[in-house]
Amino acid sequence: MKVCTDACTFGAWAEIAGAKRILDIGTGTGLLSLMAAQRNPDALIDAVEIDEQAVSQAAENFKNSPFSSRIKVFEGTIQDFEPGYLYDAILVNPPFYQNDLRSPDDKVNQAHHAKSLTFSELLTAVEKLLKKGGSWHVLLPVEEGNVLNYSAISRDWLKRRELILSHSLKHSPIRIMRSYSKMAVSNPPASSEHLAIYEPETTRHTLAFRQLLRDFYLKF
């Protein structure tokens, strides 16, 4: 199972405490669903994925996990997904690069480009599938994250939290994670944090990164 540092960070950071139903959009091989199941022992989790091979791998990973009874994987697009109920929390690690040149490899396109899911379609899906009072959490490269943030705010979503991720404090940010919910009568200001993976000019993980990932990285 392929594990990416940014996805692991996102899975450990997103607020899902108390959620009874969680949706993982674009689960890939199932990493975020598995992390959500570990963090929230009461949650039922649905994972949606468009790629047939990834669905097969996710299904195997879920079956071999201690959380197999609480996670289901569905093959298909989120645009066509009709579960028959709503979710308390939604996790999204969507296709990257809305405007960049596409690869001739369709597998790369599905994984890294918004060929099958535009930001507008993503927001429509979230609005359809999230319970009133629920929250959704998204991981993107910084530029794409800012584009989505503008679109989300224009559709009355309120940014609650954000985490800016970089290799070290000397490097430019590589990913941004944000949490959204609908606007309420009284809204506290959004919190913003900057997390570095490594100490400057070393391969030593920062204390903050180790604390966030200690339940998932055996070496911590």
Side-chain angles (χ1 to χ4, degrees), residues 6 20 36 42 80 96 103 134 143 163 165 169 201 209 214:
D6 56 344
K20 298 302 182 184
D42 298 320
D80 297 327
F96 294 167
S103 164
E143 182 177 348
L163 180 68
L165 184 68
L169 293 180
E201 300 176 2
F209 182 81
R214 62 188 174 189

Side-chain angles (χ1 to χ4, degrees), residues 90-107:
I90 297 177
L91 303 173
V92 190
N93 184 5
F96 294 167
Y97 315 136
Q98 292 273 313
N99 299 314
D100 288 20
L101 293 175
R102 291 194 170 101
S103 164
D105 186 334
D106 280 343
K107 294 292 185 183

